[in-house]
Amino acid sequence: QVQLVESGGGSVQTGGSLKLSCVVSSFNSKKYCLAWFRQAPGKERQAVASIDVDGGTTYRDSVKGRFTISQDSTKDTLYLQMNNLQPEDTAMYYCAVNPKFYCPDSWNLPRDYIYWGQGTQVTISS
């Protein structure tokens, strides 16, 4: 059974940093597009960043230059380094698996992802 387990969330002040981790087990995550999504209360789930099998990355505009998505050398753990955090970054953050080698143009659509973690909460105070 595929499992994705996120960790690293917490509460920080504006301008602070957090690094999220997502351990992917029982699945060959080395061969697929992986992504981070987030969802704030009362809002739709939105894509944050993706990384494909060759390490190519894509980010939503609002996090470019502040967030970095990466994988460890074994590609069993996905990371999201978040710097200069802002109150609008407050949300539950999820990692997800898209069953394609390369993240498609529609990488930002939750419907294309088949496995999800349970989420880790990130709260930014002003």
Side-chain angles (χ1 to χ4, degrees):
Q1 182 176 350
V2 177
Q3 283 191 314
L4 288 77
V5 180
E6 301 98 334
S7 62
S11 297
V12 298
Q13 293 187 326
T14 298
S17 297
L18 286 172
K19 186 173 185 178
L20 307 183
S21 299
C22 171
V23 177
V24 183
S25 60
S26 304
F27 188 78
N28 192 346
S29 60
K30 303 174 180 58
K31 294 185 176 179
Y32 299 97
C33 167
L34 304 177
W36 287 97
F37 284 76
R38 65 187 181 188
Q39 188 167 20
K43 295 188 176 181
E44 292 186 352
R45 189 166 296 191
Q46 59 179 217
V48 177
S50 68
I51 186 166
D52 63 29
V53 65
D54 287 344
T57 58
T58 307
Y59 298 90
R60 69 178 299 106
D61 287 345
S62 63
V63 307
K64 286 180 180 178
R66 300 189 298 124
F67 290 12
T68 303
I69 188 172
S70 64
Q71 289 178 283
D72 69 352
S73 59
T74 65
K75 296 192 177 182
D76 290 328
T77 303
L78 180 70
Y79 300 103
L80 185 67
Q81 176 67 50
M82 305 185 295
N83 299 326
N84 190 22
L85 284 160
Q86 303 297 312
E88 54 266 34
D89 295 318
T90 295
M92 185 73 79
Y93 282 71
Y94 302 89
C95 58
V97 177
N98 185 315
K100 294 184 178 179
F101 289 176
Y102 295 97
C103 298
D105 290 343
S106 60
W107 71 276
N108 59 319
L109 298 179
R111 69 186 184 201
D112 290 342
Y113 291 78
I114 59 173
Y115 298 114
W116 293 83
Q118 83 292 344
T120 185
Q121 179 67 39
V122 171
T123 303
I124 313 303
S125 58
S126 57

